[in-house]
Amino acid sequence: MLQLQAIREQKDEIIIALKKRNVDATPLLENVISLDDKRRDVQTKLDNTLAESNKLSKEIGMLFKSGKANEATILKERTVTLKEDSRTFQEELNTVAEELQALLYQIPNVPHPSVPAGNTDEDNEEIFREGDIPKLVDGALPHWELAKKYDIIDFELGVKIAGAGFPVYKGKGARLQRALIAYFLDKNTAAGYQEIQVPHLVNEISGYGTGQLPDKEGQMYHVTEDDLYLIPTAEIPITNIFRDTIVNQKDFPITYTGYTPCFRREAGSYGAHVRGLNRLHQFDKVELVRVEHPDNSYAALDGMVEHIKGILRELKLPYRILRLCGGDLGFTSALTFDFEVFSTAQDRWLEISSASNFEAYQTNRLKLRFKDENGKSQLAHTLNGSSLALPRVLAGILENYQTENGIKIPEALVPYCGFDIID
């Protein structure tokens, strides 16, 4: 969330910046400042009350020692009133603090100056494109028909077991899925990321820490009896490793990669554009998470983008990179680059990765800090990216590598699969 000091000192600039998101933040920010003023006032009253109470306690002790019991008793009556007042002020302070926190959670991150204005994904800015779009044979099929033809993914069986959006991978389809996970993890660890395995469920405070709550509450599966959430991305558990932590400046950059299944309700998703692997309730993803010094976070973001480019080059998939506009930017992100692979059989681009810099938005929620060279606590910056989300990468491979004789396997994946064609 945004820092209170920044809201107080840069209110007008923040209001202008958030207009890129099509958000009129004026009422929210004014309410935040008003509540913060109230909180400060109540805190001052509480501090003064406690100070007077402590002072009287010392005086009462001195009076009893001096044999002035009557005067001490009179002052004790005053301390009873002060204790009641302090209790009242503390309750009021807690209420105001909760209201203030709830308001702060409603304010999205301030977009980076390079973020273009816009309302929807149609306003995103294409900044890079690479790879030749293959020319497919006559009668080329979309991946959901290829999956059925070669019996590698069973969507109907998934419906029987769980419901729509829960596919069953079979035979070479399952092996290709496993190969992609291993390949992505190997590429990431070779680039210096430490591999980590994390829980697939998180508590509520973890969801708030990275900003999925309360923003995406409707998209997360909630285990109500245990008050746990199935993760929509490994970003949540990996980043929350550092909640309430002061890291050493010398340890920057802190880099992790992890594979997890991801669970998303994706409410309201219907139509041909979500067929097959295009949109699922459960899917696999390999994630990158970085904790960085603020001075280096945008260089780190550029490095993540180049790393993902390298993977897509090895897979020889045609792709493009988009700089997300304000209207399509994630709630917690300051700047996001989306990667899209071209699905030749569907004749459309499919999002397969996002690389984002959250600046200090998450770390302010997480209380993730470091000591600078002067020994002062500063908020670190966090970043994350997919390398990669598997379903649409798999869809792109199946469709772009199909031939009359079967589906070829990208050369980089053959050692991981143990076969070079699905036929």
Side-chain angles (χ1 to χ4, degrees):
M1 59 190 173
L2 301 184
Q3 298 175 67
L4 268 172
Q5 183 177 353
I7 291 174
R8 297 188 74 96
E9 295 177 357
Q10 304 163 33
K11 184 186 79 169
D12 293 340
E13 293 91 332
I14 292 172
I15 289 170
I16 292 170
L18 289 177
K19 284 181 179 177
K20 279 189 178 180
R21 291 181 173 271
N22 307 305
V23 172
D24 180 8
T26 304
L28 266 175
L29 298 191
E30 288 179 349
N31 285 341
V32 164
I33 292 171
S34 176
L35 267 179
D36 191 41
D37 287 339
K38 184 177 180 181
R39 180 189 63 82
R40 294 181 178 199
D41 180 56
V42 176
Q43 183 70 63
T44 299
K45 290 177 181 177
L46 176 61
D47 292 344
N48 290 341
T49 302
L50 292 174
E52 185 180 352
S53 181
N54 290 336
K55 181 182 176 184
L56 287 180
S57 294
K58 292 177 182 178
E59 290 181 12
I60 289 167
M62 296 294 292
L63 288 170
F64 272 121
K65 285 181 181 180
S66 303
K68 300 177 181 179
N70 289 338
E71 293 180 37
T73 301
I74 293 171
L75 288 184
K76 282 185 73 176
E77 292 175 0
R78 171 63 180 157
T79 62
V80 171
T81 301
L82 289 172
K83 284 181 181 178
E84 291 176 355
D85 289 345
S86 64
R87 191 180 301 112
T88 300
F89 289 138
Q90 185 63 63
E91 290 173 357
E92 186 179 359
L93 184 63
N94 292 342
T95 300
V96 172
E98 288 176 7
E99 292 175 0
L100 181 58
Q101 190 83 340
L103 273 182
L104 288 169
Y105 281 147
Q106 294 178 40
I107 305 170
N109 201 358
V110 173
H112 186 267
S114 67
V115 171
N119 299 317
T120 68
D121 56 3
E122 294 181 358
D123 300 314
N124 294 335
E125 175 188 359
E126 182 176 327
I127 62 169
F128 187 81
R129 186 182 291 208
E130 188 172 64
D132 297 325
I133 294 174
K135 208 168 182 181
L136 299 183
V137 297
D138 291 338
L141 301 173
H143 71 268
W144 55 86
E145 293 186 23
L146 290 167
K148 189 170 185 177
K149 178 180 178 179
Y150 295 105
D151 195 26
I152 54 175
I153 307 171
D154 196 322
F155 295 100
E156 281 113 18
L157 190 55
V159 172
K160 174 183 177 180
I161 296 168
F166 297 91
V168 174
Y169 298 86
K170 302 166 67 177
K172 287 186 174 180
R175 289 169 65 185
L176 178 54
Q177 183 87 340
R178 177 159 52 93
L180 281 166
I181 293 167
Y183 168 70
F184 292 153
L185 287 171
D186 282 354
K187 292 296 292 183
N188 296 346
T189 54
Y193 290 85
Q194 180 181 346
E195 183 176 349
I196 189 168
Q197 292 188 5
V198 289
H200 301 163
L201 292 98
V202 293
N203 53 28
E204 185 178 64
I205 192 171
S206 295
Y208 274 93
T210 46
Q212 278 71 26
L213 296 177
D215 178 53
K216 291 182 172 61
E217 189 167 14
Q219 294 184 31
M220 295 173 70
Y221 287 98
H222 188 199
V223 184
T224 53
E225 185 174 345
D226 303 292
D227 198 20
L228 295 172
Y229 292 84
L230 276 72
I231 59 170
T233 168
E235 169 199 341
I236 305 175
I238 295 176
T239 311
N240 270 277
I241 290 170
F242 302 99
R243 189 174 72 238
D244 298 320
T245 299
I246 298 178
V247 299
N248 291 321
Q249 188 172 200
K250 65 180 177 59
D251 291 334
F252 289 133
I254 300 170
T255 59
Y256 280 118
T257 184
Y259 152 72
T260 66
C262 302
F263 305 88
R264 300 182 186 179
R265 280 205 178 100
E266 299 286 8
S269 298
Y270 305 99
H273 67 290
V274 297
R275 288 192 67 180
L277 298 171
N278 288 348
R279 186 158 297 173
L280 302 175
H281 294 304
Q282 178 183 330
F283 61 94
D284 292 319
K285 183 154 66 83
V286 175
E287 197 77 357
L288 303 171
V289 172
R290 301 182 70 99
V291 181
E292 291 278 357
H293 190 287
D295 293 345
N296 191 56
S297 66
Y298 278 97
L301 180 61
D302 290 340
M304 289 174 70
V305 168
E306 290 302 316
H307 175 68
I308 298 166
K309 277 184 184 179
I311 293 174
L312 289 168
R313 283 180 184 135
E314 279 199 1
L315 293 177
K316 297 179 180 176
L317 289 170
Y319 71 95
R320 67 178 183 176
I321 304 174
L322 305 176
R323 191 198 316 267
L324 296 195
C325 71
D328 201 33
L329 193 64
F331 190 85
T332 56
S333 177
L335 177 61
T336 294
F337 296 105
D338 268 7
F339 285 74
E340 296 183 337
V341 66
F342 192 75
S343 164
T344 309
Q346 297 179 70
D347 193 29
R348 59 189 291 254
W349 293 96
L350 304 174
E351 181 196 337
I352 47 113
S353 176
S354 290
S356 301
N357 189 348
F358 306 108
E359 296 185 356
Y361 192 88
Q362 288 182 335
T363 56
N364 192 31
R365 292 183 176 215
L366 294 162
K367 296 182 175 59
L368 166 52
R369 295 177 169 85
F370 69 96
K371 298 278 189 180
D372 64 18
E373 54 276 4
N374 299 315
K376 186 178 178 182
S377 288
Q378 304 281 358
L379 291 171
H381 281 191
T382 54
L383 305 90
N384 93 283
S386 308
S387 69
L388 298 161
L390 271 71
R392 293 174 182 174
V393 172
L394 186 55
I397 290 172
L398 297 180
E399 294 181 1
N400 291 338
Y401 278 84
Q402 63 180 300
T403 70
E404 292 177 339
N405 301 316
I407 303 166
K408 291 183 178 178
I409 300 299
E411 186 178 346
L413 293 178
V414 172
Y416 292 88
C417 291
F419 56 86
D420 60 8
I421 193 167
I422 296 173
D423 54 12

